[in-house]
Amino acid sequence: MPITTIIIIVLILVLIGAVPAWPHSRSWGYGPSGIVGVVLVVLLVLLLMGRL
């Protein structure tokens, strides 16, 4: 497996863990999940463009 696939899988898991619906992250708000989501979208765009 290429390293980019592993990074994308880890970012998806972090995004799911940072969703404010979980009890441990309810007080965090949407900040962490929003930041991880933006990073994930940027990585996916770079991957699809062939630059990563």
Side-chain angles (χ1 to χ4, degrees):
M1 283 176 61
I3 191 73
T4 55
T5 307
I6 295 171
I7 290 173
I8 290 174
I9 291 171
V10 168
L11 280 174
I12 289 171
L13 291 174
V14 169
L15 180 63
I16 291 171
V19 172
W22 300 100
H24 70 276
S25 63
R26 189 160 291 163
S27 64
W28 298 349
Y30 286 98
S33 61
I35 293 169
V36 175
V38 168
V39 171
L40 182 64
V41 167
V42 169
L43 282 176
L44 283 174
V45 167
L46 288 174
L47 183 68
L48 292 173
M49 290 176 52
R51 304 209 180 211
L52 190 63

